[in-house]
Amino acid sequence: MTDPAARALAPMFGKLPRVRPLGWLGALAIAVAATIALPSLSVALNVFQPDGGAWAHLWATTLPRILGNTVWLMILVALGTGAIGVAAAWFVTMCRFPGSRALELLLLLPLAMPAYIIGYAYTDLLQFAGPVQSALRETFGWRRGDYWFPEIQSLGGAAAMLVLVLYPYVYLLARAAFLEQSVCVLEASRVLGRNAWGAFARVALPLARPAIAAGVALALMETLADFGTVQYFGVDTFTTAIYRTWFGMDNRVAAAQLATALLGVVLLLLALERHSRGAARFHHTSRRYRPLSPLRLTGWRAGAAFALCALPAVLGFVVPFATLLRLAIDVGDPFWGPRFLDYALNSLTVSTVAAFACVGTALALAYAQRRDPGPGTRASVRIAATGYAIPGSVIAVGVLLPLAVFDNALDAALRAAFGVSSGLLLSGTLLALVYAYSVRFLAVALGAVEAGMGKITRSMDEAAASLGAGPGRTLVRVHAPLMGGSILTAGMIVFVDALKELPATLIVRPFGFDTLAVRVYQLASDERLAQASTGAVAIVAVGLVPVALLCWTIARARPGARR
C-alpha cells in the first residue's frame, strides 16, 4: 500500500501494520506444514462420504463397546499415571533417603519399554500356564477353579500395562515443576498452620498443576494411539476398529470416518490440556527464592519411600525385561540367523531414513522460523508439530488415502493416453512408510532442534552474513556444527520411536516388508510369546539408548554436578 493511501485510511483504522513479505524460507515452512497436515485433512474429508451402511452396522454391533472401552481406558490411565508420576516426583524431589538419587534415573527406564511388549511379557508371566500361577498351584496344591487370579488379558490389564510405561511422562514434568518451586512458599504455608501434607496438597500441587495436566495429556494421547496392547488383550478401541474396518470389512471410508472421530478426541484432549494451563492461576507471589531443602527420611519412612518409588521402575522395566530375556535365552526366535537379520535390517533401514528425514525437515523449519519469524512461518511450524499427537493408525489411513488417489489418477491418465499402466507408485512403498513416520515424529525432532538453535546467538548469523554467507551456507557451516548434540539427540529419538511404531507400520508397510515390531506382533498374535521375545529384547535394548541419554542429561543438570 502506498504512503498516500495509508495516510488516507489512518483516520478510520489507525496506524496500519507493516506487511512483511513472505520469504522463501517462510514459503518452505508453509509447504512443509501443508504436507504434514495432508493426512489429517484427507481423513477429515471422508466424514460426509457414503459408507455403505458400515456405521449403522458398527453402531448396532461394536461401536458402543468401543466407546465405553476407550473412555474407561483413558480414565484408568489418567488416574494411574497421575498418581504414580506425581507421588514418585514428589518423593525423589522433596525427600532424601538411601537410593533416592538412583531412583531419579531408574524411574525413567520404562520409557524404553513399548506398551505392547510389556503386555507380552506379563501375559507369559501371569497366564494360567505361566510361572506365577504354576508356582501357586505347586505350593498350595490348587487346581483350576480352586483359586481366583486376576485376568491379565482384560481392560484392567491393558490399562495397567499402559500405566506402567506411560507414568514417566507425568513424572518428568511434575519433577521439573517441583524443582522450580521456591522453599519460601512452602515455608509460608507452614507458618499458616499447614503440615507437610497440607503444604503439598494446597501449595505445591496447585503450582505444578499445569505441568501435571500436560503429562497426563501426553499419556492419554499415547493411550489413544496404542494398538498392539489393546489388540492383544482383546480390548476393542478406536485403533483396533480402524484396523479391522480397513482390512476386515475392506471399507476405507468407514475406517477414515472412525479415524476422524479419533482425531476429534485427540484435538479435544489438546484443547483441554491448553485450557487447563490457561486456567491455572497459581503463581509465586514472593520475590525471594531459595532452592528446596529436601527432607531427610530415616528408618521405616525411608524404606517405605524407597519401596514406593522403586515399585513402578521394577514392574515397568526390570520384571518384564528379565522375563523377555529369560524367554529369549531358553527358546528365542526360531528364525534367529539370516532371516532375523533381515527383519533387523528392515527396521534399521526405514528407521534411519525416517530419522534423517525428520531431522532435515526440523532443521529447515527451525531455521525458517529463525530467519523469517512472521506469523505465517510460526503457524506453519506449529501445524507441522501436531503430528505427534495423532495416533499412528489415523496417520496411516490419512497417508494411504491421498497416495491412492494420486496413483489411481496417474494410472488412469497413462492408460487413456498411452495404453500403459503405472501401477501403484507410492501406495504400499517404503516412501509411504517414511512419510507416515515423518508426520508422526517430526515434532520430536523439531523440539530438540529448536532447543539447540535457540542457544545460538544472533550475532553468529550477522557475522556469517557479513562474510558473504547466504542462509543455506550459514545453516550448514555455522549452525549445524554448533548444535551437533541436539541434532544427534533428535535423530536418535526419532530412530527409536520409528523402530517401536506398530500401527502405522502394519497398515502402510510394503507387502512382505516385515520389521522387528511387526515380527514380534505376528508371533505374539499366534501365541508364540517365547519366540517373540528375541525381537522384543532387541527393540527394548535399542530403546535404552535415548533413555540413557536423557538420564545423563538430567544427571548433568543436577545442582553440584561437574560440567
Side-chain angles (χ1 to χ4, degrees):
M1 183 178 293
T2 61
D3 290 341
R7 286 195 297 269
L9 293 175
M12 291 183 290
F13 298 101
K15 186 177 180 181
L16 297 178
R18 182 179 178 182
V19 179
R20 180 175 180 174
L22 185 66
W24 69 270
L25 286 171
L28 174 64
I30 292 176
V32 171
T35 304
I36 297 299
L38 179 60
S40 300
L41 294 176
S42 64
V43 166
L45 289 176
N46 285 271
V47 173
F48 304 105
Q49 296 291 326
D51 58 6
W55 265 98
H57 173 72
L58 289 172
W59 183 258
T61 55
T62 61
L63 197 56
R65 184 173 72 253
I66 290 170
L67 288 171
N69 288 342
T70 303
V71 170
W72 274 111
L73 197 63
M74 292 171 61
I75 292 174
L76 293 174
V77 170
L79 293 176
T81 56
I84 294 175
V86 172
W90 175 259
F91 275 109
V92 300
T93 304
M94 301 296 185
C95 304
R96 283 292 168 264
F97 49 90
S100 59
R101 290 291 194 186
L103 285 172
E104 291 178 6
L105 307 180
L106 293 178
L107 282 164
L108 298 175
L109 289 180
L111 283 174
M113 186 74 66
Y116 59 90
I117 288 181
I118 195 177
Y120 301 156
Y122 272 106
T123 297
D124 178 82
L125 193 65
L126 301 178
Q127 63 184 344
F128 181 80
V132 173
Q133 292 199 54
S134 298
L136 288 175
R137 292 193 298 272
E138 292 178 3
T139 302
F140 298 101
W142 291 337
R143 296 181 180 180
R144 181 186 291 271
D146 291 343
Y147 63 98
W148 175 86
F149 198 84
E151 179 59 47
I152 182 65
Q153 291 187 315
S154 62
L155 176 64
M161 300 301 101
L162 291 167
V163 167
L164 287 175
V165 299
L166 296 179
Y167 80 82
Y169 288 113
V170 182
Y171 163 74
L172 273 173
L173 295 178
R175 182 174 180 272
F178 290 147
L179 285 172
E180 292 172 356
Q181 295 179 10
S182 170
V183 72
C184 300
V185 294
L186 299 179
E187 287 179 345
S189 68
R190 299 297 295 272
V191 170
L192 295 175
R194 299 289 179 185
N195 57 19
W197 287 110
F200 166 73
R202 300 299 298 273
V203 178
L205 197 59
L207 285 173
R209 174 185 162 188
I212 295 170
V216 172
L218 284 173
L220 291 180
M221 284 186 284
E222 290 291 336
T223 300
L224 288 173
D226 180 77
F227 172 79
T229 311
V230 293
Q231 192 277 338
Y232 183 70
F233 279 32
V235 180
D236 289 331
T237 62
F238 273 104
T239 51
T240 59
I242 292 169
Y243 186 82
R244 291 172 183 171
T245 304
W246 186 292
F247 293 98
M249 301 174 60
D250 195 23
N251 193 325
R252 297 188 179 187
V253 173
Q257 291 173 346
L258 283 171
T260 304
L262 182 55
L263 181 60
V265 175
V266 172
L267 294 177
L268 178 62
L269 277 178
L270 289 174
L272 290 175
E273 188 271 330
R274 191 172 295 275
H275 174 74
S276 175
R277 284 187 294 166
R281 305 301 183 189
F282 302 98
H283 308 285
H284 295 285
T285 56
S286 173
R287 294 187 177 183
R288 297 182 300 134
Y289 183 91
R290 294 205 319 271
L292 294 167
S293 299
L295 177 65
R296 298 284 177 180
L297 299 181
T298 57
W300 70 268
R301 291 183 176 86
F306 179 84
L308 180 66
C309 295
L311 189 61
V314 171
L315 295 179
F317 181 82
V318 177
V319 171
F321 187 74
T323 301
L324 293 171
L325 193 60
R326 172 183 60 83
L327 291 173
I329 294 173
D330 293 344
V331 182
D333 196 318
F335 291 120
W336 174 259
R339 186 82 175 271
F340 184 85
L341 292 179
D342 288 340
Y343 302 137
L345 182 61
N346 290 342
S347 297
L348 177 65
T349 301
V350 72
S351 300
T352 302
V353 174
F356 275 103
C358 288
V359 171
T361 306
L363 271 173
L365 286 175
Y367 192 57
Q369 186 172 234
R370 181 184 180 93
R371 294 294 297 259
D372 188 11
T377 306
R378 291 197 300 270
S380 300
V381 172
R382 298 281 73 81
I383 291 173
T386 58
Y388 192 69
I390 304 174
S393 56
V394 177
I395 292 175
V397 174
V399 165
L400 288 181
L401 287 175
L403 294 185
V405 171
F406 173 81
D407 285 340
N408 291 331
L410 180 62
D411 183 72
L414 290 176
R415 284 177 181 271
F418 305 103
V420 296
S421 175
S422 61
L424 298 178
L425 294 180
L426 298 178
S427 302
T429 63
L430 285 180
L431 181 62
L433 186 57
V434 171
Y435 179 31
Y437 286 165
S438 299
V439 175
R440 179 86 167 89
F441 302 121
L442 177 60
V444 178
L446 189 60
V449 169
E450 280 186 324
M453 190 167 289
K455 297 177 182 179
I456 301 176
T457 177
R458 294 279 181 175
S459 61
M460 303 293 289
D461 301 62
E462 298 170 358
S466 66
L467 295 174
R473 190 177 180 185
T474 302
L475 176 62
V476 174
R477 299 293 298 275
V478 178
H479 290 85
L482 290 175
M483 50 190 297
S486 298
I487 293 174
L488 180 62
T489 301
M492 191 181 306
I493 295 176
V494 172
F495 175 84
V496 174
D497 282 343
L499 189 74
K500 298 186 296 184
E501 173 62 31
L502 182 60
T505 310
L506 280 173
I507 297 175
V508 183
R509 79 189 195 279
F511 180 77
F513 184 87
D514 291 337
T515 63
L516 285 176
V518 173
R519 172 67 174 169
V520 170
Y521 165 77
Q522 291 173 340
L523 289 174
S525 299
D526 294 337
E527 298 300 330
R528 292 188 288 172
L529 295 176
Q531 291 89 337
S533 60
T534 304
V537 168
I539 293 174
V540 174
V542 176
L544 283 173
V545 176
V547 174
L549 181 63
L550 179 61
C551 294
W552 177 75
T553 304
I554 292 175
R556 288 195 63 190
R558 182 182 297 156
R562 295 181 62 181
R563 301 286 177 178

